[in-house]
Amino acid sequence: MADQLEASVTLPSDPVSVAAARRYVARVLSDWGLPEDAGTADTVRLIVSELATNSVQHTFGQSPTFTVDVRLEREEWLRVGVTDSHPRWPKRLPAAVQQDNGRGMVIIRWLAAEAGGRLSVTPTEDGGKTVWIALPWPADASARTLRGC
């Protein structure tokens, strides 16, 4: 297997794109050997849903698209990033605001940490940002990837 596998898709900043992003990532993970019913696959689908939703809802129409990047690095780390062109970085909302929404980043951080991973945010050249999650790649998925399943 190559040292790194990569896939990406750019979608319109529209609520219907959240499900498209989730389906795209699920298909990529399956192609790379991670079964749809694996815990890591469930975690990644939920994280992608939250990140894509944040990108659509919190860019206030200033980012016409968002991009989902998926990378498998040396069958050790899965990195998933959602990029938009809005300059505002995600932040945790005050508790009073969090009653009905605003918990997306808390959920993402918790899911990443629970899976042994981490979250980071990096700036883009055009003034936007990419929110990344990095998770350990399951050893049983690596065996399937090597067999070409």
Side-chain angles (χ1 to χ4, degrees), residues 69-121:
D69 292 296
V70 187
R71 300 177 184 164
L72 178 56
E73 299 174 355
R74 298 173 4 154
E75 294 186 52
E76 295 173 0
W77 286 96
L78 174 67
R79 298 188 192 282
V80 179
V82 174
T83 303
D84 63 55
S85 58
H86 193 278
R88 188 176 73 171
W89 285 31
K91 60 183 175 181
R92 188 179 304 179
L93 297 176
V97 177
Q98 291 184 354
Q99 291 179 2
D100 292 327
N101 62 20
R103 291 183 288 269
M105 293 306 295
V106 172
I107 292 167
I108 293 165
R109 282 185 192 281
W110 184 85
L111 288 168
E114 184 73 12
R118 60 190 176 277
L119 178 138
S120 62
V121 183

Side-chain angles (χ1 to χ4, degrees), residues 135-148:
L135 302 174
W137 185 249
D140 59 336
S142 295
R144 282 188 288 282
T145 304
L146 288 173
R147 289 194 311 263

Side-chain angles (χ1 to χ4, degrees), residues 40-98:
T40 300
D42 289 338
T43 298
V44 172
R45 284 192 300 266
L46 181 53
I47 288 172
V48 167
S49 290
E50 290 290 334
L51 290 176
T53 297
N54 283 352
S55 183
V56 169
Q57 287 185 344
H58 300 295
T59 60
F60 307 106
Q62 294 180 24
S63 182
T65 63
F66 66 93
T67 300
V68 179
D69 292 296
V70 187
R71 300 177 184 164
L72 178 56
E73 299 174 355
R74 298 173 4 154
E75 294 186 52
E76 295 173 0
W77 286 96
L78 174 67
R79 298 188 192 282
V80 179
V82 174
T83 303
D84 63 55
S85 58
H86 193 278
R88 188 176 73 171
W89 285 31
K91 60 183 175 181
R92 188 179 304 179
L93 297 176
V97 177
Q98 291 184 354

